[in-house]
Amino acid sequence: AFSADVVPQAPEDPLFGLMAAYRADNDKNKVDLGIGAYRGDDAKPWVLPVVKKAEEILRNDPNINHEYLPIAGLPDFTSASQKVILGADSSAIQEKRITSLQTISGTGAVHLGALFLTKFYNTSSQKYSIYLSAPTWANHNQIMSNVNLPTTTYPYFSANTKGLDFDGMLSALQEAPEKSIILLHACAHNPTGVDPTDEQWKEIAKVMKQRHLFPFFDCAYQGFASGDLNRDAWAIRYFIDQGFELCIAQSYAKNFGLYGERAGCFHFIAAPNDGAETAKRVGSQLAILQRSEISNPPAYGARIASLVLNDPKLFAEWEANLKTMSGRIMDMRHALRSKLEEMETPGSWKHITEQIGMFSFTGLNEKQVAKLKEESHVYMTKNGRISMAGLNTRNIDYFAKAVDKVVR
Ligand code: PLP
C-alpha cells in the first residue's frame, strides 16, 4: 500500500541535514553557523544560571509529581506569559480579553493558531490566505500547508540595501484582500535579522487597520534580540493599543535556553468591545483543538519558566542572563564588521551591526556559501544566513578571513 509513488521519499530537513554534515566533519577549525541556538564563547550550549536555580528549586519541591497538566497548560505559566508579552498593565489583560494556552514551544503555538484560523476564520465560502514575509522561517510554510491554510508572500528583504523593503511590504499590504491574515515577526526577524523601525511599525499598523487585516505575531526572540523584554515586545503592544484583534505565538526556546523542553504559549486577544466574551468562546474551541492534538502540554519547561516569571528576584536574574546572551551576540556583530572592514573585504558590511537577534543575512550567495564549506569547513544555510551565536573570540578571525577569501 505504501509504494514510492504513494509515499515518495521526502527530502531531509535542510537545517538538520547541515547539522549532521557539520558533526561528520573532522577538521579542527570547523565552524557551525547553521542552527539558531545560543552558544557561549566556548562554543558550547549555555544553561542559563537562572534556569539552573529553578531546576534546583523544583528538585527539592516535595509537591512536584508527574500528573497531567490541564489542557490549557499550567495556569501560573500562561498568566505570567501574558504579562511578559503584553506588559503587566496591559488593557487586554485587565479587560480579560485574552485567552492563552500553553503549547509545544513556538512551533506548537504557530500551529495551534493556524489550525484555529483554518477552522474558524476561514469558511466554506470565504478562504483568507496568510501572508508570510519573503523570506521567512522555512517552517512557517510547512506549518500552514499542514493545516491547509493558503499562503502567499509579502516583500520584506531588499537584497540591495540588505535592509527592509518597506515600500514593497506596504504596497503588498495595501493590495491584500481585506481581512487577510498577516504573519509578522515581532522582533529579530528570522532569517534576515532585519526589523521595521517603530515609525515603520506605525505605518504598517495604519495600513493593516485600514484594510482590516488580521495580525498574527510570531515572537521567538523576546529579550534575546535587544536584551530588553519590553523593547522587543514594542510592536505587539503598539498593535494592541491600536485595538487590533490578533494572535501571538510565544516561544521560550531562545530566551530561556529551553529549546528541548518545548515551552511556549499561544495567545488570542479579542478587540476591545465585548472582548471578554469572545476570548472565552475562542478559548473553549482552542481547548478542544489542543485536546485532540496533544491532550495536554509538557510540564517541565513550563514549571521552570513559571518559577522564574513569578518571582521578582529570579525574574531580574533572567533579565541579566538575557543581557549576557544578547550582549555577546552584539559584540560578535561589531567584531565581525570591523574585521571585514579592516581587511577591506569588498562590499559594505554595515548591515551586520544593523541587523538584530540570532541571525545575520550576510549577503553571501549560494556559491560562496558552498565554497566556505569546502575550503574552510564553515557551515551555514544556502541563503547566506549565519547564526551569530556560532561565532566566538576564538573563531571570528578565522571566519572573517574565510569570508574575505570567498568574496574577493
Ligand atoms: N518562529 C520563528 C521565527 C523561529 O525562528 C523559531 C525558531 O527558530 C520558532 C518560531 C519556533 O521555535 P520553537 O518551536 O523551538 O519555540
Side-chain angles (χ1 to χ4, degrees):
F2 303 109
S3 60
D5 46 335
V6 181
V7 187
Q9 180 67 40
E12 187 176 35
D13 185 277
L15 203 53
F16 283 77
L18 193 70
M19 278 166 76
Y22 170 80
R23 276 196 301 269
D25 188 332
N26 288 320
D27 191 88
K28 70 173 183 1
N29 289 320
K30 65 180 179 176
V31 182
D32 178 13
L33 305 178
I35 195 88
Y38 182 76
R39 299 286 176 257
D41 196 52
D42 58 0
K44 298 213 170 83
W46 193 55
V47 181
L48 273 58
V50 74
V51 166
K52 281 194 178 153
K53 271 195 189 169
E55 289 185 300
E56 187 62 28
I57 296 170
L58 279 181
R59 242 194 313 278
N60 296 317
D61 184 344
N63 297 318
I64 292 286
N65 54 45
H66 299 292
E67 295 292 291
Y68 292 125
L69 291 186
I71 293 171
L74 195 66
D76 285 348
F77 169 79
T78 47
S79 62
S81 296
Q82 294 175 346
K83 291 179 196 144
V84 170
I85 199 108
L86 299 188
D89 56 355
S90 170
S91 63
I93 299 174
Q94 277 155 17
E95 294 158 16
K96 295 189 169 45
R97 46 191 180 85
I98 175 165
T99 187
S100 306
L101 281 85
Q102 184 190 326
T103 55
I104 307 291
S105 208
T107 304
V110 173
H111 168 74
L112 183 62
L115 184 64
F116 172 76
L117 292 170
T118 316
K119 294 210 176 239
F120 293 96
Y121 192 69
N122 282 345
T123 61
S124 51
S125 57
Q126 182 67 61
K127 286 213 186 325
Y128 301 103
S129 297
I130 184 161
Y131 278 65
L132 306 174
S133 63
T136 193
W137 181 46
N139 212 15
H140 280 149
N141 285 292
Q142 296 189 125
I143 295 171
M144 302 312 159
S145 82
N146 187 27
V147 299
N148 295 316
L149 192 57
T151 57
T152 174
T153 59
Y154 60 86
Y156 191 80
F157 183 74
S158 157
N160 276 342
T161 64
K162 299 193 183 71
L164 183 67
D165 178 3
F166 185 55
D167 293 340
M169 177 177 180
L170 266 199
S171 26
L173 296 180
Q174 258 143 1
E175 284 157 25
E178 285 203 348
K179 296 181 75 179
S180 298
I181 308 155
I182 314 294
L183 193 132
L184 300 162
H185 297 228
C187 65
H189 183 272
N190 178 4
T192 67
V194 173
D195 286 350
T197 63
D198 292 358
E199 289 314 304
Q200 288 170 331
W201 275 121
K202 288 181 186 171
E203 290 275 312
I204 293 165
K206 200 168 125 195
V207 172
M208 287 186 61
K209 204 73 209 251
Q210 278 163 359
R211 304 286 309 146
H212 304 284
L213 302 174
F214 184 87
F216 189 154
F217 277 99
D218 185 3
C219 187
Y221 301 93
Q222 190 189 359
F224 188 93
S226 70
D228 178 341
L229 289 160
N230 297 323
R231 166 98 285 277
D232 292 346
W234 186 89
I236 291 179
R237 295 177 192 178
Y238 180 79
F239 272 63
I240 300 271
D241 288 345
Q242 304 310 302
F244 278 95
E245 188 167 45
L246 54 81
C247 42
I248 306 169
Q250 180 184 24
S251 166
Y252 287 114
K254 325 278 159 155
N255 56 11
F256 263 110
L258 285 173
Y259 305 91
E261 302 303 342
R262 316 309 289 141
C265 236
F266 175 75
H267 308 278
F268 172 88
I269 293 103
N273 296 328
D274 219 12
E277 194 264 333
T278 305
K280 200 163 162 233
R281 268 187 291 105
V282 170
S284 72
Q285 293 295 346
L286 286 167
I288 289 177
L289 298 178
Q290 172 106 314
R291 176 92 171 109
S292 71
E293 298 220 315
I294 63 165
S295 197
N296 49 78
Y300 187 67
R303 282 189 181 135
I304 291 171
S306 180
L307 267 175
V308 175
L309 298 177
N310 287 296
D311 179 313
K313 216 168 138 246
L314 292 176
F315 195 99
E317 281 184 43
W318 179 42
E319 289 182 299
N321 292 171
L322 284 167
K323 288 220 157 58
T324 300
M325 293 191 286
S326 56
R328 197 185 86 69
I329 285 180
M330 284 179 221
D331 288 348
M332 287 302 110
R333 287 187 184 278
H334 287 284
L336 178 59
R337 176 177 167 186
S338 51
K339 280 181 201 303
L340 292 169
E341 287 174 352
E342 265 164 38
M343 288 185 287
E344 296 181 1
T345 308
S348 159
W349 301 99
K350 69 178 192 323
H351 58 280
I352 294 186
T353 52
E354 282 166 0
Q355 296 169 353
I356 186 165
M358 185 77 88
F359 302 109
S360 177
F361 228 41
T362 57
L364 295 169
N365 62 37
E366 207 171 320
K367 244 169 125 180
Q368 292 166 328
V369 170
K371 234 170 141 189
L372 273 167
K373 185 163 132 193
E374 275 153 37
E375 292 178 356
S376 306
H377 307 268
V378 170
Y379 290 79
M380 56 197 278
T381 50
K382 281 193 299 201
N383 57 8
R385 183 193 82 167
I386 56 173
S387 178
M388 291 306 301
L391 292 175
N392 54 54
T393 50
R394 275 172 279 180
N395 66 15
I396 193 152
D397 260 325
Y398 175 82
F399 175 66
K401 283 184 188 141
V403 170
D404 184 76
K405 210 163 110 193
V406 298
V407 169
R408 275 181 205 278

